[in-house]
Amino acid sequence: MAQQEYAQMIQVNKDRAATYGFLSRLFRVEVDEALAAQLKDMQFPVKTGNASIDEGNARMASYVAGMWDGSLTELAVDYFNVFYGVGVDSYSAAHPFESVYTSPKRLLMQEARDEVLQVYREAGLEKQKEWREGEDHIALELEYLQVLSERIVEVLERDDEDAAADLLEKQRAFLDEHVLVWTPLFASDMRRFAKTDLYVGLADVAEGFLEADRQFVGEVLES
């Protein structure tokens, strides 16, 4: 790979890491003042070439532009209703756990959780002590992909193309075997339960980005 190609790939993976980190933060906990300020400073491109991302960015930008004194409370209520719901069954919300979408009885802490926990440990990662949710939470799965993107940057900066390819293979496997198995239905449920354009838009952006990124990873590895 030529030096210019290395430089381009380094920047692309910095951007991938930033996007995975941003999405992970939005799913992890409700919007606070710091994140609200970040959102207000952001540019939300609407001509990315991906219809789902563009529509989601437009929705999020529209909500952010109209934020008011009560928006954080409104978003906190929506976050809880979207991801945890007010019903007593597993169909009352877009529960942000792979196990809920891949286990026959839609239960937490099932096989998917054990599998992703093993993947994290093999990568030398352990969840922080303050994290009390299951390891198959969407925020942690996205954070894992963020970490791998950051590691790709590090090895490319050392001109280690083989190590970068190995990390990309790990990302492709994780997307195919875990993230993309359940997130399309999860995003559909988000759109069904969300009352604010921020979380409807987040569903669109996340779904579109994950599909586009899987295509990108595949094309890089095949080339």
Side-chain angles (χ1 to χ4, degrees):
M1 189 185 297
Q3 285 302 117
Q4 184 176 0
E5 292 177 307
Y6 266 99
Q8 291 174 341
M9 280 295 292
I10 287 170
Q11 186 58 54
V12 167
N13 281 283
K14 286 181 178 179
D15 293 342
R16 293 177 67 225
T19 302
Y20 274 121
F22 174 65
L23 293 175
S24 175
R25 169 60 188 87
L26 281 166
F27 283 116
R28 186 178 294 111
V29 293
E30 62 269 24
V31 176
D32 58 14
E33 291 184 2
L35 181 55
Q38 180 184 346
L39 290 168
K40 290 177 182 178
D41 287 340
M42 283 182 59
Q43 297 292 325
F44 292 89
V46 293
K47 293 184 179 180
T48 66
N50 183 292
S52 182
I53 295 174
D54 291 349
E55 183 173 351
N57 277 336
R59 284 182 177 276
M60 294 178 74
S62 176
Y63 184 87
V64 170
M67 287 183 75
W68 54 293
D69 291 345
S71 291
L72 292 185
T73 299
E74 180 180 59
L75 289 173
V77 170
D78 204 30
Y79 180 91
F80 181 84
N81 288 338
V82 171
F83 298 121
Y84 296 96
V86 295
V88 296
D89 61 52
S90 59
Y91 295 92
S92 61
H95 297 284
F97 302 93
E98 182 179 343
S99 290
V100 172
Y101 286 90
T102 58
S103 62
K105 295 184 179 181
R106 291 176 65 93
L107 300 174
L108 294 171
M109 308 296 280
Q110 299 301 301
E111 184 177 352
R113 177 262 182 184
D114 297 336
E115 290 175 354
V116 298
L117 179 57
Q118 182 61 30
V119 170
Y120 301 157
R121 286 175 174 169
E122 288 174 357
L125 301 172
E126 294 287 345
K127 70 174 184 178
Q128 297 178 349
K129 292 181 179 180
E130 59 266 26
W131 180 261
R132 301 186 183 280
E133 305 283 6
E135 289 83 356
D136 58 339
H137 192 288
I138 182 65
L140 261 62
E141 293 196 354
L142 295 175
E143 187 175 352
Y144 170 71
L145 291 165
Q146 174 193 357
V147 169
L148 292 191
S149 296
E150 292 169 346
R151 290 180 179 180
I152 291 170
V153 171
E154 293 172 2
V155 297
L156 285 176
E157 288 176 339
R158 300 197 302 267
D159 293 342
D160 193 339
E161 189 172 345
D162 289 340
D166 180 64
L167 289 164
L168 283 166
E169 285 283 9
K170 286 181 169 61
Q171 286 188 318
R172 176 162 65 176
F174 194 72
L175 284 164
D176 287 347
E177 297 168 14
H178 292 284
V179 178
L180 290 176
V181 172
W182 68 285
T183 50
L185 183 55
F186 167 68
S188 178
D189 282 345
M190 279 185 65
R191 287 187 283 267
R192 183 155 61 97
F193 292 109
K195 303 300 183 185
T196 64
D197 272 345
L198 186 84
Y199 285 112
V200 175
L202 175 58
D204 291 337
V205 170
E207 185 173 19
F209 173 72
L210 289 168
E211 292 174 351
D213 197 57
R214 171 59 182 85
Q215 182 178 354
F216 165 77
V217 171
E219 289 173 352
V220 172
L221 288 171
E222 290 165 9
S223 66

